[in-house]
Amino acid sequence: MPYVNIKITNEHVTPEKKAELIKGVTQLLVDVLDKNPETTVVVIDEVDTDNWGIGGQSVTQRRHLGK
């Protein structure tokens, strides 16, 4: 049973886009690894930009600085 965890910042990702991600990742596992889609689990975690750091700065800070 494959388990895929996708982590994204919580910036305007619609339910429709999340459904696309889940469907696409599931299909990728079917196509590449011949996995059963009925037992494939995909979880999307949305992380606040204050809690996601890159290069010593939070994403919130980087967005503010235009990076």
Side-chain angles (χ1 to χ4, degrees):
M1 169 174 39
Y3 173 91
V4 178
N5 184 219
I6 301 171
K7 294 187 183 286
I8 58 174
T9 56
N10 61 347
E11 298 175 287
H12 316 295
V13 180
T14 65
E16 294 80 17
K17 290 291 183 184
K18 291 178 202 174
E20 262 186 81
L21 280 171
I22 292 167
K23 183 177 180 181
V25 168
T26 300
Q27 190 60 50
L28 182 64
L29 287 167
V30 170
D31 294 345
V32 174
L33 299 176
D34 198 31
K35 295 298 182 179
N36 181 350
E38 297 301 317
T39 60
T40 298
V41 176
V42 179
V43 176
I44 299 172
D45 289 329
E46 292 184 274
V47 180
D48 189 277
T49 58
D50 287 340
N51 298 329
W52 193 305
I54 302 169
Q57 295 177 312
S58 71
V59 170
T60 303
Q61 291 170 316
R62 292 174 66 87
R63 297 281 192 268
H64 181 71
L65 296 172
K67 292 185 178 182

